[in-house]
Amino acid sequence: MIDNLELDWLERVVQEYVILGDTSVFMNPEAQTFFFKYLSPLLHRNSKQLIVPHVVVKELENNMNKPQSQGRDLAKKGYHILKELYDKNLIDFRGESSDTHPDQVFRRIYAQHGVHKNLAFLTNDKRLAEELCNMHNSGSIKTSHSLLIIGILTNGLPYKICQDGVMRDASWSKKKKMISQDKIIDVNKLSTSVIKINKVPATGDMVYLRDGKPIKLTGELSSGGEGIVYQTDVPGLLAKIYSK
C-alpha cells in the first residue's frame, strides 16, 4: 500500500505542496508516530507549516466531550498533538465563520485554490478522498497543479491514497475490481439524442440517474465554462450540470 518506504517523496511534498490536516488523521491511533517521527522533522527542516482548519479543532473538542469511548480518547490524543505542533510553530490555524464541517471546508479549498497551488490533504476518510479525486477528474477545475491525498498506515507510516485523480489505495482498488462486467456501460451505445427540459437544474432541484433513481442537488461546489458541479444528497456523489 505504500510506494516507497524511504519516504523521500514525503519531503518533496513538504517542499512543494500546501499541506492540510483533517480530523481523521489526528484521531488515528498511530497519529503520534506519523506526526512526530515522520512529518514534524520535515516541516521544521523546511520551515513549513501544516494548515489546520478551525473546524477540525472544534470537531476534536466535540469528540472529547462525548461519553467515554475510544473516539473520546483518540480525540484527546489528537488535541494534544495539535497543541504540541502549534507550540513548535508547525501549525497554522485558518478558517471562516461560515465553516461548519471539515469535509465542506476541504472541498471548498480545493475548488478555490487547486487551480493555483499543489495541495496535499492528510486524511484517513476514504469517502472524502474519493470526493476530492472526483473533483480533480470532473473537468470543472482546470489546473496543471497536483492533488495528493495522504493517509496513515497502522504502523504510522504515510501512504498515498490518491495522486492527481488516481485512487492508489490497495483496499479501494480491490473493491473496484469486484464490480461485475454487466455494470460497465459502453459509452458508444448510449443515446446522444437531445433531452428537452423546461429549465437547467439548480440547487434544491432533483435530477435522475439512468435507472430512475432521484438525486437532489444540495449545493453549488464549483463552476466553469461547461457548467456547474453540485454536491448531492448521496455521500460521495457529485453531479455536473452542463449549461443549456
Side-chain angles (χ1 to χ4, degrees):
M1 291 173 66
I2 188 165
D3 296 336
N4 181 4
L5 292 177
E6 297 301 322
L7 296 184
D8 289 341
W9 63 269
L10 186 61
E11 180 150 27
R12 290 194 297 273
V13 170
V14 170
Q15 293 169 346
E16 300 171 8
Y17 288 68
V18 175
I19 308 176
L20 302 100
D22 178 32
T23 310
S24 61
V25 288
F26 289 101
M27 289 184 64
N28 187 289
E30 298 300 326
Q32 192 160 2
T33 300
F34 168 71
F35 282 107
F36 295 124
K37 183 176 180 179
Y38 299 116
L39 185 62
S40 62
L42 298 179
L43 292 172
H44 184 267
R45 184 159 68 228
N46 292 278
S47 300
K48 297 284 187 175
Q49 289 182 310
L50 170 68
I51 295 176
V52 176
H54 288 301
V55 287
V56 168
V57 181
K58 292 179 182 178
E59 197 165 61
L60 287 172
E61 291 173 342
N62 290 338
N63 284 318
M64 287 167 58
N65 293 325
K66 288 181 178 180
Q68 185 64 40
S69 65
Q70 183 184 16
R72 180 182 178 181
D73 293 338
L74 290 174
K76 286 182 178 180
K77 291 179 181 178
Y79 192 86
H80 288 304
I81 291 171
L82 269 179
K83 185 178 185 305
E84 189 168 343
L85 291 173
Y86 179 75
D87 290 342
K88 293 179 179 179
N89 198 33
L90 298 178
I91 279 187
D92 180 12
F93 292 111
R94 297 187 188 180
E96 299 179 6
S97 58
S98 59
D99 294 342
T100 58
H101 193 274
D103 288 13
Q104 162 245 337
V105 173
F106 287 131
R107 289 192 294 264
R108 188 192 71 233
I109 288 173
Y110 183 62
Q112 292 178 345
H113 302 288
V115 176
H116 310 290
K117 301 175 182 178
N118 295 330
L119 296 179
F121 295 91
L122 304 180
T123 182
N124 268 62
D125 184 338
K126 301 295 179 61
R127 180 180 59 82
L128 175 60
E130 289 188 33
E131 287 184 3
L132 292 171
C133 277
N134 287 338
M135 287 180 66
H136 184 87
N137 292 327
S138 68
S140 62
I141 300 175
K142 306 293 185 181
T143 180
S144 59
H145 291 273
S146 179
L147 167 68
L148 185 61
I149 302 174
I150 301 170
I152 303 176
L153 294 172
T154 54
N155 55 5
L157 281 165
Y159 73 107
K160 300 175 184 178
I161 299 178
C162 169
Q163 185 167 19
D164 298 329
V166 179
M167 294 295 292
R168 307 181 68 180
D169 178 61
S171 61
W172 188 92
S173 300
K174 185 177 180 181
K175 291 177 183 178
K176 283 293 188 183
K177 291 176 181 177
M178 291 172 63
I179 298 175
S180 60
Q181 290 297 314
D182 61 354
K183 297 295 183 181
I184 299 174
I185 299 174
D186 183 352
V187 295
N188 295 315
K189 296 180 180 179
L190 295 179
S191 171
T192 57
S193 60
V194 176
I195 301 173
K196 294 182 179 181
I197 59 173
N198 294 323
K199 70 166 188 172
V200 176
T203 300
D205 290 339
M206 302 297 292
V207 294
Y208 299 87
L209 299 182
R210 183 166 295 276
D211 61 4
K213 180 181 178 181
I215 303 294
K216 185 175 183 179
L217 306 179
T218 58
E220 184 176 329
L221 191 61
S222 63
S223 61
E226 294 181 333
I228 300 175
V229 176
Y230 292 90
Q231 298 178 48
T232 74
D233 60 350
V234 179
L237 182 67
L238 303 179
K240 183 171 183 179
I241 305 300
Y242 288 85
S243 60
K244 191 173 182 179

